Amino acid sequence: MGSIKKARIRWFSLIRIFGLGMVLYYHYFKTRYAGGFVGVDVFFTFSGYLITALFIDEFIRRDKVKLWAFYRRRFNRIFPPLLLMVLIAVPLSSIANPDLRTNLTKQITATLSFTTNFYEISTGGSYETNFIPHLFVHTWSLAVEMHFYLIWGLIVYLVSRTVKSAKYFRTAIFSVSFVLFAVSFLSMFTQIKGLSEYSPIYFSSLTHGYPFFVGAMIGSFCGVGQSAQGFNQLTSRLTWKTPLIGFVVSALLLFGLGTRMKFDQASTYAYGILLGSLITGCLIIFARLLHDKAPNVAEPRFITYLADISYAMYLFHWPLYIIFLSYFNNNIKAVVAALIGSVIFSTLSYYYIEPLLMGKPVAYQKAVGGPLLFAMVILGVVTANYAVDAPHMSSLEQHLWVGNLYQDADQIQAVHAKVSQPKQTVPVSQTNYNVPQGISIIGDSVTLGARSYLLEHVKNSDINAEGNRRMDQAYDVLMNQQNNNQLREYVVICIGTNAFPDFKEQIDKIIHDLKKGHRLIFMTPYDGHADATYDSTKIAVYERTLPAKYPFITVTDWNKIASSHPEVFEGTDGTHFGGIEKGNILYTKGINDAIKTAGKKTVKA
């Protein structure tokens, strides 16, 4: 057993900063760094390590673990900056799109009760594709972390009551960590197949808890104050160069992993997050070794400062960013403003507010303590007022909801007319294939948002649209209409934003199973956040090749039209134009132009 060392390990600050940097880069420039969300798993792994190592130190020092003292320390560290973030973000949101305050009371309640992950799962929230991003969606990770503290703290406490030897305590902690790691990882791994949305398993404390236990296993080995004998022997054999090189290589690998992972890929959940946690484990071990092998090298004060405010930075960076993005409608300006604001508020939180709220004696307490508390009370009143007046549905969601209601009403009216009126002969096309005249449009939420305008401006059209619809689901709608002789001569498929890697197979299936006599039109999808690596972009590329292969297929390129008119998506999620008149006009014109072109071509024969 090694001797007791200082509790603060030099170079751990770099791990905190590195993880934060990955998350910020991802949130601010998602299309450039699509896998930066793995930075959250850096936090998870490091937390599992640090908490477990400190538990072991406490047991060796006192022969027991004080559970309530641990809970109190964690709450005092986590809650004050969280409360401050809410009290600042909500009043500041007054300069932004009011939709950001949708269901604000529920958002605040979930945030302060550490249940944001459950809230997002229960409301069908998506980590990447919400129409209007939630102000506090990023606190899902804080909820998962708090759940880990509660459960792991209790487990370690129970182990400490049954194991009296420090050696066996360390072994028991490692063993339990491994079992819980296996349960959590297998829970995620077995739920991947067939998922259309990965957010529920990403948000879940059960399926996304295993990075903590990767850290816990490492913590039971290399420790903070005291380490296992094997780790001490390893330390004695190395020079300072080996851990330094290992740390740099691990950091590069972790950053590179962030360039390869994507949120909507099954591989991310099969092995990507696990790989990120294991590389973070290597970072921890190499930093721990470097601390021992370079005892005379001091950590730069600036690095320590950034590590101190890193937690509060994580809390502030997201709400400030989406507020300023809505206000400026310019990403660079929003990033700069969010970074400046985050640094200022994080510094204020760590060095002034948190000590004051935790009752720590500080020199400035008499001078500024009263004014600071008074300011927080005022912010609390303003926040409560905004929460009470917040809308329960965003304007875009309202627009889609109304579209759904009208579509349902039209379908009920059509069924009623079919039942109550004498059977009438449905006009058929003049192509000798006995298919109904007109246009059948099968679309997703973008089509649903434009439905009313389309019905007025696309003659003799029938629209079937639904949010989050995929190509395989569009196929089912098409087959149902075709089997009931309801599929009209012109078939317009407006699907693709909700894409899967098997999109070619699904598109080819539609082409193959469409009966003779129809003219098929594909509208390429548009996602304002997508780059060339996204499946939605690849769908557009593939659909553009189809008219050359099939004379009865026409393509209307909404992807190109939309990308040429960014003003259509101001104040939206970058995919839905949500009733903006110019968006309706452009979208409808694209379909009408394609119908004219298709009319000059042959039908499927």
Side-chain angles (χ1 to χ4, degrees), residues 436-443 458-464 478 481-482 486-494 518-521 591 595:
Q437 288 182 358
I439 299 130
S440 292
I441 301 176
I442 301 173
V458 180
K459 294 182 180 179
N460 195 17
S461 62
D462 173 73
I463 300 173
N464 187 303
L478 185 146
Q481 292 186 2
Q482 183 168 267
Q486 296 172 340
L487 192 66
R488 303 184 181 186
E489 178 182 354
Y490 293 82
V491 180
V492 186
I493 305 294
C494 308
H518 294 283
R519 307 173 195 270
L520 184 58
I521 299 171
I591 291 178
I595 291 170

Side-chain angles (χ1 to χ4, degrees), residues 260-326:
R260 307 297 299 176
M261 291 170 58
K262 289 185 176 60
F263 188 83
D264 59 354
Q265 290 181 341
S267 59
T268 293
Y269 307 92
Y271 59 82
I273 293 175
L274 173 62
L275 190 56
S277 301
L278 294 176
I279 296 174
T280 302
C282 293
L283 275 176
I284 293 169
I285 293 172
F286 286 128
R288 183 69 180 80
L289 288 168
L290 195 60
H291 170 82
D292 285 345
K293 301 308 296 186
N296 297 322
V297 179
E299 197 172 56
R301 183 69 186 91
F302 181 67
I303 296 297
T304 304
Y305 162 71
L306 289 179
D308 287 342
I309 67 170
S310 60
Y311 166 57
M313 277 282 290
Y314 176 80
L315 293 178
F316 281 103
H317 86 279
W318 175 252
L320 294 186
Y321 171 64
I322 62 172
I323 288 170
F324 287 126
L325 184 61
S326 175

